[in-house]
Amino acid sequence: MTQQTPLTVLVIGPGGREHALARALSQDPGVAAVYVAPGNPGTAEVATNHSVDANDPAAVAALAGRLGVDLVVVGPEAPLVAGVADAVREAGIACFGPSKEAARIEGSKAFAKEVMVAAGVPTGGSLLCRTPEELDDALDRFGSPYVVKDDGLAAGKGVLVTEDRGAAVDHGRACGEVVVEEFLAGPEVSLFAITDGTTVLPLQPAQDFKRIGDGDTGPNTGGMGAYTPLPWVSADLVDTVVSTIIQPTVDELRDRGTPFVGLLYAGLAITEDGPKVIEFNARFGDPETQALLPLLATGLGGVLYAAATGHLAEIGPLQWNPGFSVAVVLAAENYPQMPVVGGVITGIEQVADGAHVIQAGTSTDDEGQLVASGGRVLAVVATGEDLTEARNAAYASLAGIDLPQSQHRLDIAQQAASEEN
Ligand code: AMP
Ligand code: GLY
């Protein structure tokens, strides 16, 4: 075995994904202590918070050394792209999260496309545009609907998909360097895989709801809800995605001398020609992670430690509890533009059976009240025997939570639940 004694783990990041990770780690009998930095009031309930600038590699490595942890788990993309995982590993501490170089799979859309082409991974055609003329040519070539992406980190918000040529041109010019892509038609699936750079362990598929409004309307967000597993995908989807997409990408990055250690997130369109990559992310997705982790039966700490230390082949396939899980995000009014922050949150203690609250953009004010401090404020997560039960428990719990000037989608997992018999 890779680790005999209970692990101590430091989770880096401020939000909902980190709360979900810390909660699952705190419930793993193989984990003795969980720290989160900087965390939020939710993580403080399941772990010990420490303050840190999550994007400062030296500061994170120093904190991990001071705490004497066995493992650091980096949550968000920005610290990875800033080189936090490199600094932690250089300090001799195991780290779950890719190096700065490998994290470019998320940090640069152009790099991701180059890797996919080299590895023969199915994805849409794309062109990197640096001038207005190149932008016009690319829009002509791929046609409507136009897909125009900022070539950098944009927290899921730098992407415009539109049939309006003028809007596509405006977005492209505002971004500077942009990637214009072929539109991939088909339902979207998020498939996460844990890897030590060689061995790949897939999680079960999840679906995320990216648009702000019901019926997939309005602007893209970081994600307004998620559910898992997906009753409508074919039984061989995971195997197909691992063999045609995840494993070739992991192999390509290793062959380039930049092995990917951490979580590789494939955002997929299930097209008529099979699954194709819309995007890669270099970390656990948010809010899919909130929905996934309550169903994971395998201890999370041991899996992440095995990946971080190159021993993932010694861990068998991940085990899952039966049933379904739904996460519904409560966002501040006016998210994703200029969210209204400062509102007092009440009622999170009284959730339905099988439900719990994961905090994201929350903080405690001078009077000790829980207040909204970010765009996505919290998620209600519920499990059930089927999607209908999980959804009902999530929405019943959300109804008891009050945050003035907030918004949430009413249709998370609705279509899939309606197809259940
Ligand atoms: P991304 O940040 O790349 O995941 O893009 C955000 C969302 O835009 C995706 O979840 C899709 O809904 C949509 N999108 C991005 N690229 C494409 C594409 N090539 N074809 C169709 N939809 C896309
Ligand atoms: N759920 C989308 C993301 O994490 O980017």
Side-chain angles (χ1 to χ4, degrees):
M1 265 323 283
T2 51
Q3 173 81 13
Q4 302 295 345
T5 53
L7 293 162
T8 57
V9 186
L10 169 62
V11 178
I12 299 300
R17 161 187 42 222
E18 290 73 38
H19 185 182
L21 287 165
R23 180 178 185 270
L25 288 165
S26 73
Q27 293 174 346
D28 178 352
V31 173
V34 186
Y35 307 96
V36 185
N40 62 38
T43 63
E45 289 172 11
V46 295
T48 308
N49 284 354
H50 288 270
S51 63
V52 81
D53 175 355
N55 294 330
D56 180 341
V60 172
L63 175 63
R66 217 160 49 239
L67 294 171
V69 295
D70 301 306
L71 174 67
V72 174
V73 178
V74 182
E77 58 275 24
L80 294 166
V81 169
V84 163
D86 308 76
V88 170
R89 279 193 276 271
E90 276 159 29
I93 301 166
C95 187
F96 183 86
S99 66
K100 183 177 180 162
E101 278 297 310
R104 289 177 68 213
I105 197 87
E106 172 165 4
S108 165
K109 307 244 180 224
F111 176 76
K113 282 287 179 188
E114 184 209 313
V115 169
M116 284 188 264
V117 170
V121 166
T123 185
S126 75
L127 288 168
L128 177 63
C129 309
R130 295 188 184 82
T131 65
E133 294 73 32
E134 287 178 356
L135 177 63
D136 269 331
D137 289 347
L139 295 174
D140 286 342
R141 164 135 166 225
F142 292 121
S144 174
Y146 303 105
V147 181
V148 184
K149 298 188 178 183
D150 201 344
D151 183 40
L153 282 185
K157 290 169 271 183
V159 177
L160 185 69
V161 180
T162 180
E163 293 178 9
D164 178 342
R165 172 90 181 210
V169 169
D170 289 348
H171 183 69
R173 291 192 182 178
C175 293
E177 281 205 0
V178 289
V179 175
V180 174
E181 284 185 13
E182 174 189 345
F183 177 78
L184 297 176
E188 287 181 40
V189 171
S190 301
L191 202 284
F192 299 172
I194 290 170
T195 176
D196 59 6
T198 303
T199 300
V200 164
L201 274 192
L203 279 71
Q204 67 185 23
Q207 193 173 43
D208 172 27
F209 293 76
K210 288 228 166 69
R211 302 285 189 127
I212 189 72
D214 285 336
D216 297 328
T217 53
N220 272 316
T221 70
M224 294 298 292
Y227 69 97
T228 183
L230 311 180
W232 48 270
V233 299
S234 67
D236 61 0
L237 178 77
V238 173
D239 286 348
T240 303
V241 173
V242 168
S243 63
T244 64
I245 292 171
I246 307 276
Q247 191 72 57
T249 302
V250 165
D251 292 345
E252 172 70 21
L253 288 169
R254 190 183 60 251
D255 291 348
R256 290 175 179 226
T258 54
F260 188 100
V261 175
L263 187 127
L264 185 62
Y265 163 149
L268 307 164
I270 311 302
T271 73
E272 286 180 350
D273 303 325
K276 294 190 180 180
V277 177
I278 290 179
E279 64 160 352
F280 278 125
N281 292 317
R283 35 92 197 160
F284 281 95
D286 187 339
E288 295 97 315
T289 301
Q290 286 86 320
L292 281 160
L293 292 181
L295 295 178
L296 181 66
T298 307
L300 182 64
V303 176
L304 301 185
Y305 187 79
T309 55
H311 291 279
L312 203 56
E314 294 164 33
I315 306 264
L318 297 176
Q319 303 296 317
W320 296 90
N321 295 319
F324 292 80
S325 179
V326 174
V328 182
V329 169
L330 182 67
E333 193 172 299
N334 219 15
Y335 173 74
Q337 289 87 14
M338 275 275 267
V340 180
V341 296
V344 177
I345 305 159
T346 53
I348 64 168
E349 314 74 26
Q350 305 141 13
V351 293
D353 274 355
H356 63 275
V357 172
I358 294 290
Q359 297 185 33
T362 61
S363 62
T364 311
D365 74 3
D366 294 344
E367 290 153 42
Q369 304 179 103
L370 189 67
V371 296
S373 62
R376 291 187 293 170
V377 178
L378 56 82
V380 179
V381 185
T383 56
E385 281 181 20
D386 57 23
L387 277 174
T388 303
E389 189 181 301
R391 226 182 147 252
N392 288 346
Y395 278 106
S397 301
L398 192 55
I401 296 173
D402 187 52
L403 170 61
Q405 297 188 289
S406 62
Q407 53 176 334
H408 64 273
R409 279 182 65 161
L410 299 172
D411 64 347
I412 304 303
Q414 185 174 43
Q415 191 184 335
S418 73
E419 290 162 5
E420 287 177 331
N421 40 39

